[in-house]
Amino acid sequence: MSSADPAALNRANWEERALIHARDKTGFYRIAEFEAGGDTLTAIESAELGDVSDLRILHLQCHLGLDSLSLVRRGAKVNRLGFLEQRDCVRP
């Protein structure tokens, strides 16, 4: 990776953040809740989205992928697009 390549630097930064965020030490990402069968969408997101059953959704910049997977649990067909190698939430 060249230090002159802003895209590569940004990607590396988010790769590092994803590993930190996947540890979820503060509970902000609600990983334990998700792993227990819940989802990560907030009340306001749920209200705004409504019923997503059978909808086709493109989720851009999905980060850890938990919101995308939560939409799948609600019945949506979801395609995710992000530039991280670590696409799904996996605890290191």
Side-chain angles (χ1 to χ4, degrees):
M1 173 179 65
S2 166
S3 62
D5 182 359
L9 288 172
N10 188 39
R11 186 173 297 114
N13 178 31
W14 278 106
E15 287 289 349
E16 183 178 341
R17 286 174 187 252
L19 291 172
I20 293 167
H21 294 168
R23 292 185 196 115
D24 201 26
K25 292 192 183 259
T26 66
F28 178 81
Y29 288 98
R30 299 168 43 205
I31 293 172
E33 182 180 340
F34 181 84
E35 290 175 336
D39 74 35
T40 58
L41 300 177
T42 65
I44 194 166
E45 290 167 330
S46 296
E48 290 293 320
L49 290 170
D51 182 14
V52 297
S53 297
D54 297 319
L55 291 180
R56 293 174 51 191
I57 297 173
L58 174 61
H59 187 190
L60 303 174
Q61 292 300 102
C62 57
H63 192 39
L64 298 178
L66 292 174
D67 290 343
S68 299
L69 295 171
S70 292
L71 290 167
V72 169
R73 286 184 176 173
R74 293 175 177 218
K77 295 169 181 70
V78 180
N79 287 314
R80 309 176 287 158
L81 180 62
F83 58 83
L84 300 178
E85 294 293 324
Q86 183 70 33
R87 296 214 190 280
D88 287 326
C89 177
V90 177
R91 291 180 191 253

